[in-house]
Amino acid sequence: QVQLVESGGGLVQPGGSLRLSCAASGTIFSINAMGWYRQAPGKQRELVAGITSGGTTNYADSVNGRFTISRDNAKNTVYLQMNSLKPEDTAVYYCNARRVVGGTDEDYWGQGTQVTVSS
C-alpha cells in the first residue's frame, strides 16, 4: 500500500508563488510515476504535472513554463513549484502515485490541498 500526504496549499495573490509537497510512504519501491492533479468546482479532475521513476516530466499546456515538478528520493517526497499563479489555477490539488500491475494502472491519492489565487 502507498500513503500520500500533501502540504503547502494556501491563499496567494496573482503572480505569486507556492510550493506543494507530497510525502509518500509504504511500498514506494513499486511506484512507476507520481504526479499532481487538480479539480475546481464543477470541473473534471485534470493532470497538472507528472514525473516517472526515470525522471521524465510532463505538464499540462496551461501550466507549462510556470510550474515545475521535482522529486527528492532521499525524503520520498515530490514537489510542485508553482510560479506566476493565476486565478484560474484555483483548485484542490491532489498528489497521485501510480503503479502498473498486470497491465493495469493502480492509483493512490492524497487527501488534497486547497490552492486559492485571488487579488
Side-chain angles (χ1 to χ4, degrees), residues 97-112:
R98 174 165 291 178
R99 297 194 300 178
V100 180
V101 181
T104 301
D105 292 341
E106 184 177 281
D107 289 312
Y108 299 86
W109 298 93
Q111 295 280 15

Side-chain angles (χ1 to χ4, degrees), residues 63-84:
V63 307
N64 195 25
R66 299 187 296 120
F67 291 9
T68 302
I69 188 170
S70 62
R71 65 183 182 182
D72 186 336
N73 291 330
K75 296 183 177 180
N76 299 319
T77 301
V78 174
Y79 304 94
L80 184 67
Q81 179 66 46
M82 305 184 294
N83 298 325
S84 302

Side-chain angles (χ1 to χ4, degrees), residues 12-117:
V12 296
Q13 296 183 7
S17 297
L18 205 62
R19 188 179 75 160
L20 306 182
S21 299
C22 175
S25 61
T27 55
I28 57 177
F29 61 88
S30 63
I31 296 174
N32 300 111
M34 296 186 69
W36 290 94
Y37 290 71
R38 67 186 181 188
Q39 187 168 24
K43 299 183 65 177
Q44 294 287 102
R45 184 179 300 180
E46 64 175 349
L47 175 67
V48 177
I51 184 167
T52 69
S53 59
T56 302
T57 60
N58 66 286
Y59 299 90
D61 290 340
S62 59
V63 307
N64 195 25
R66 299 187 296 120
F67 291 9
T68 302
I69 188 170
S70 62
R71 65 183 182 182
D72 186 336
N73 291 330
K75 296 183 177 180
N76 299 319
T77 301
V78 174
Y79 304 94
L80 184 67
Q81 179 66 46
M82 305 184 294
N83 298 325
S84 302
L85 283 162
K86 304 175 181 179
E88 50 263 44
D89 294 319
T90 296
V92 177
Y93 284 70
Y94 298 91
C95 182
N96 165 265
R98 174 165 291 178
R99 297 194 300 178
V100 180
V101 181
T104 301
D105 292 341
E106 184 177 281
D107 289 312
Y108 299 86
W109 298 93
Q111 295 280 15
T113 184
Q114 177 71 46
V115 172
T116 301
V117 185

